[in-house]
Amino acid sequence: MGKKGDLSNFECGMVVGARRAGLSISQSAQLLGFSRTTISRVYKEWCEKGKTSSMRQSCGRKCLVDARGQRRMGRLIQADRRATLTEITTRYNRGMQQSICEATTRTTLRRMGYNSRRPHRVPLISTTNRKKRLQFARAHQNWTVEDWKNVAWSDESRFLLRHSDGRVRIWRKQNENMDPSCLVTTVQAGGGGVMVWGMFSWHTLGPLVPIGHRLNATAYLSIVSDHVHPFMTTMYPSSDGYFQQDNAPCHKARIISNWFLEHDNEFTVLKWPPQSPDLNPIEHLWDVVERELRALDVHPTNLHQLQDAILSIWANISKECFQHLVESMPRRIKAVLKAKGGQTQY
């Protein structure tokens, strides 16, 4: 039985050539391996229009949402990214002669390139801090990976025993992940669980210190003197190292600033822009720890077990992992410059 279906432009040309050479429909079908119906259709179209189409006539039910309807649905998405499928369908059907169901809405949105995704969580950046982030990026835009190897990164993080899965979902296209209407802003907050402080550089992972109470200036001073100082003097004996910390209140306390001034001949404290976790690669190490915690076969049932699991996961982070994060710094700086100090994909 001859082949049926769509033909390439070359195959259409072969059909026309065979018929013009005097072959009958049956002879052409046998020679080329296409059905007699296909031979007849292609040659008839060539005779009537002087051209051929590689596609058969479209068949099946007509689409309920035409191009105009898709534009209407696109405007509904742009107006409310968090609308549910039911809400989008209801709003679309208002004032329309022919209503559609949720299944049609879902199919149409996917055809338009929209998918339901969780929004990226990014810090709320004020106008003043956007300027500071931009200034930092401009000041370090010529730093190479070799320069960033001299930086020791630090941060605190809290890990919870239990997690809530109640997350907001939004409608967006593949390339709209950083669109302002597709983001959920966050602020620093506390919570239950285990809090830890850690640091690392391109050369090695540093210590991970559990914090048994709220981190204040006195507790942070102990961390700086007992962990930061020996790490910096060991890793950067030539006094060419930079220590990075964010702008948490306990980091900016007078006793902390005075301690750093007393040791400024041993290393330099990197002047860090506010609201910039996307520039700190240690944030991605916290993500690694979080994912490994969730992937455990036996989940911790108390804070002691949770702390042990966190310390074990930290100690087993591969060198390739944290070195790759440091090597991403030039790209992060470029992203901040491109965003003019705004949020980035990191």
Side-chain angles (χ1 to χ4, degrees):
M1 185 175 180
K3 293 186 294 183
K4 299 179 68 175
D6 300 339
L7 276 64
S8 67
N9 292 328
F10 177 73
E11 290 171 330
C12 289
M14 291 175 60
V15 171
V16 173
R19 294 290 285 122
R20 293 191 65 189
L23 297 180
S24 65
I25 293 178
S26 298
Q27 291 171 329
S28 300
Q30 185 176 5
L31 174 66
L32 300 176
F34 303 132
S35 68
R36 297 174 72 244
T37 302
T38 300
I39 298 293
S40 178
R41 174 186 65 80
V42 172
Y43 188 65
K44 181 180 179 181
E45 184 179 14
W46 183 83
C47 291
E48 293 177 351
K49 301 180 181 180
K51 63 180 181 178
T52 59
S53 172
S54 62
M55 301 294 291
R56 290 186 295 172
Q57 293 287 334
S58 60
C59 56
R61 182 182 179 184
K62 185 178 179 180
C63 183
L64 292 176
V65 183
D66 56 12
R68 184 179 180 182
Q70 290 186 14
R71 291 194 295 271
R72 172 182 170 85
M73 194 169 293
R75 290 193 295 270
L76 292 174
I77 293 294
Q78 297 291 332
D80 186 3
R81 294 280 188 168
R82 302 187 185 187
T84 65
L85 201 62
T86 301
E87 291 171 338
I88 296 171
T89 304
T90 301
R91 294 168 186 173
Y92 178 87
N93 287 333
R94 290 173 185 167
M96 299 295 288
Q97 293 181 350
Q98 186 174 18
S99 62
I100 61 174
C101 63
E102 291 182 16
T104 301
T105 302
R106 182 186 295 107
T107 301
T108 303
L109 289 173
R110 288 178 177 173
R111 185 183 300 118
M112 295 170 63
Y114 287 102
N115 289 285
S116 179
R117 308 283 189 185
R118 291 190 180 97
H120 280 266
R121 303 180 70 84
V122 295
L124 180 63
I125 302 176
S126 66
T127 302
T128 300
N129 289 335
R130 284 176 67 105
K131 294 179 180 179
K132 293 181 179 179
R133 283 166 52 84
L134 188 58
Q135 290 172 355
F136 179 87
R138 287 172 176 168
H140 296 85
Q141 61 182 327
N142 295 322
W143 274 35
T144 65
V145 173
E146 293 300 316
D147 295 316
W148 292 111
K149 288 181 181 180
N150 291 330
V151 178
W153 310 90
S154 73
D155 193 24
E156 300 87 26
S157 186
R158 185 181 296 275
F159 298 92
L160 305 178
L161 270 175
R162 297 176 180 83
H163 305 271
S164 173
D165 292 328
R167 298 181 180 180
V168 174
R169 299 186 72 89
I170 49 97
W171 292 94
R172 67 169 175 83
K173 293 183 179 179
Q174 185 176 5
N175 61 345
E176 292 182 326
N177 59 313
M178 292 307 300
D179 188 283
S181 62
C182 299
L183 302 175
V184 172
T185 57
T186 63
V187 295
Q188 293 181 344
V194 173
M195 188 174 185
V196 295
W197 174 93
M199 69 181 298
F200 84 103
S201 71
W202 185 90
H203 305 282
T204 186
L205 279 176
L208 188 68
V209 182
I211 301 172
H213 49 80
R214 185 175 180 178
L215 186 63
N216 54 30
T218 303
Y220 188 61
L221 180 61
S222 298
I223 291 176
V224 169
S225 59
D226 295 343
H227 300 284
V228 174
H229 185 246
F231 183 92
M232 297 300 296
T233 54
T234 301
M235 299 307 303
Y236 305 103
S238 301
S239 303
D240 57 349
Y242 291 85
F243 174 67
Q244 180 275 336
Q245 60 177 3
D246 62 22
N247 295 282
C250 63
H251 299 171
K252 294 298 182 180
R254 181 174 298 177
I255 58 174
I256 303 298
S257 299
N258 290 340
W259 189 95
F260 282 130
L261 284 175
E262 293 174 3
H263 296 82
D264 61 359
N265 62 323
E266 296 175 298
F267 60 89
T268 303
V269 177
L270 191 64
K271 189 175 181 180
W272 193 248
Q275 298 174 320
S276 299
D278 54 338
L279 282 173
N280 192 349
I282 202 173
E283 296 289 345
H284 291 264
L285 291 188
W286 300 141
D287 291 339
V288 170
V289 175
E290 184 69 43
R291 287 196 300 269
E292 293 296 324
L293 282 174
R294 290 175 180 257
L296 290 174
D297 294 331
V298 179
H299 293 274
T301 58
N302 56 57
L303 295 182
H304 180 72
Q305 292 178 0
L306 178 60
Q307 178 176 304
D308 289 344
I310 294 169
L311 293 173
S312 176
I313 293 170
W314 176 268
N316 287 283
I317 294 176
S318 68
K319 193 172 185 178
E320 291 78 12
C321 176
F322 61 78
Q323 286 186 346
H324 175 73
L325 292 175
V326 174
E327 291 164 359
S328 71
M329 282 307 300
R331 297 192 297 273
R332 294 170 187 257
I333 294 295
K334 288 181 180 179
V336 174
L337 290 172
K338 184 177 180 180
K340 297 180 179 179
Q343 293 97 342
T344 70
Q345 63 179 345
Y346 295 96

